Structures are given as C-alpha cells and as structure tokens.
Amino acid sequence: MRALRYPLIGTAVLLLVAPVPVRAGNRGIIGGQAVKVADVPWTVALASRERFGPVRSGQFCGGALVSRTTVVTAAHCLSREVLGVEMSEAKDLRVIVGRDDLRGGAGKEIALKDAWVNPAFNPETNGGDVAVLTLAEPVTDKAPIAMAKEGDAAYKPGTEAGVYGWGDMFGNGAYSPTLRGALVYVMEDGMCRQAYPGGPEGVYQPSTMLCAGLPRGGRDACQGDSGGPLVARGRLVGLVSWGSGCAQAGRPGVYTRVSAVAALVWAHSVDPAPGAAPPAAPPPAQPPVAPPVRPPAPSVAPSASPQVAPPAPGAGKRPGRRPRWA
Ligand code: ARG
C-alpha cells in the first residue's frame, strides 16, 4: 500500500495532463486560507521541474528555513517513492523562497549544495522523518525560524499552531498554486496514540512525533504539504509528515517533532546552531620573518634591558573549532 501513502506522483502527473483550475475563495491547505509568504518568510517550497513538470514551479514538498543556508524538510520527500528516482538522480532539486504563487517567478530558486536524509527514517512507522538541505547560496533577505527545543511550552496540548504549504486543498489532488495556511491545535499524545496505534500509515511515537488538528477535523495539512512548517509561539515545532487521509475527525495530522531532531539538524548544517560557541577567530597572518641581523657589538653596555620578542600573535590556547560536518 506504499503507493497510496504518497499519491503525490500520480497526482502530479494528472496535474500535468489536466491542470486544476484555480477556484476563487477555495479553502485549503485543508480548511485554511491564503497566506502571504512575506508573513511566513521561512516557508519554502521544494521543487524539481524535471520530476514534477513546470506547472507550479515543479513544487512537490515544503520545508522551513532554519538558518541562512539550512532548510529542514521531511526525509520521505526525498525518497524514491516521492521522487520516482533516487535523490542523486534528481538533478534539478531546488528550494524556492519568497514565491506566493508557484505559477509566477517571484522570489528565488536556489540549488542545493548538499542534502542529508536521516538514515534512521523508518518508512514503516514514519519515525525520524527529517532531512537537511544545504543551499548553494545563503538567503540573506529572509529571516530563518528558530527550532523549538526540548520542553518548549509550544508543545503544550491545546497550543495554537499554523501549518503552511502549497499542497492538496480538498484531499482530491487539487494542489494549491498559492501558499495557504491553517490554524490547528497541538493535541495530547494520548489522542494521537489512540488515532494511530499502529497501522498501514504509520505508528504514533510521542518522542519523535507530535500530532495536531481539530478534534472534529476540517483543518489539516495534506499531500504536497510534507516537510513544511508547523509553527507555534513563533517557533518551528513540527514538519508535516503523515496522517490517515486529510482533515478527518479523529485522524489528526502527524508531524516530525522538531525538538527531537534539532541537534541532528545542526550536526548536518554548515551554519552553527544559534547560541553555539562562535567559531574561533582565524589565526592572524604570520608577520614576515625578518632576516636575522647581527647587531653591532655595543661599544658601551646598553642601559636599557634587552629587547624581548613579543609572543607571536595568536599563540597560546585557542578553542578548538567546531566540526562542520558530523
Ligand atoms: N505525506 C504527505 C506528503 O507527502 C503529507 C500528509 C500529511 N497528512 C495529514 N493528514 N496531515 O505530502
């Protein structure tokens, strides 16, 4: 039933054949509304025109900018199931920043310098659904979003959270050309467990996942929103990961718990975690070595104490550099 879990490819192909007309006043992410990317500038689209066609800029997943050169997304977005080929064969993967309407050319498309897909991602449970993309050039005009840390109050059940993306608006393959968002609520682990005790879609694991939605359903992320941000109290708390259908009562959306993977993300980012020790200053250039000059023998004993060479600048203990790639 794997093909049913990520029906994006088939839908994308369908979209190429019969583009979905844009309906004015439509609802979704599901049950959401239009959002300006300027208001959520860390929301990015993942795209490959080669794999998904030129319609909607080739968008197929979402992501979140967490530093100038680091985007987090879902591991399953980069799987063969979604891409149709191994990631290494998808040559034109791009991150799109600052583009509300995927039919236009606003904002910027940035190539990837590197991509790390969590090797511990488990497609059976959906546990560990995170990947780190390193951008070929830094984003300097959009603020990244802070990742929630362990114990963040934003994880308290009942907290309001926004989820953003260009995915399916009705659960029928009608992908949105424009960015949309929906307000949902962080749910209690007990409810999430009850909804997903272990089934073909995945298994709810509170240590690495959280679930969010409305008890009566009606608002949710859906296909094509994967990897995109769930934000509460101004922090990135989740990444769209999985669910059973979309927006159904008793079937909340399940998200990668960002606090559980933040350390992994920084370990695979070229930018240091905020608050981490700043990198040691580069050693100053050595002063040119002057040729030894034999001073003329003084005719009288010097009155001043002999000159002592000052210590080489930068000598002494320097803090070790943080490894850039763990
Ligand atoms: N796996 C889907 C994707 O690849 C996301 C599903 C989210 N489902 C939900 N009910 N929240 O886009």
Side-chain angles (χ1 to χ4, degrees), residues 46-53 57-60 90 92-94:
L46 254 60
S48 163
R49 287 191 175 76
E50 195 184 283
R51 300 311 313 164
F52 300 97
S57 302
Q59 184 272 350
F60 65 98
D92 72 335
L93 287 175
R94 298 275 184 277

Side-chain angles (χ1 to χ4, degrees), residues 5-6 121-129 201-203 209 241-242:
R5 282 169 55 194
Y6 306 121
F121 167 58
N122 180 339
E124 303 307 322
T125 60
N126 285 318
D129 197 6
E201 298 95 358
V203 186
M209 301 174 185
S241 180
W242 61 283

Side-chain angles (χ1 to χ4, degrees), residues 5-8 60-61 76-77 82 129 175 196 212 220-227 240-248 251-255:
R5 282 169 55 194
Y6 306 121
L8 185 56
F60 65 98
C61 265
H76 83 257
C77 284
V82 167
D129 197 6
Y175 287 75
Y196 301 111
D220 196 3
C222 199
Q223 265 56 45
D225 291 320
S226 274
V240 176
S241 180
W242 61 283
S244 173
C246 302
Q248 295 180 54
R251 294 276 181 270
V254 187
Y255 297 79

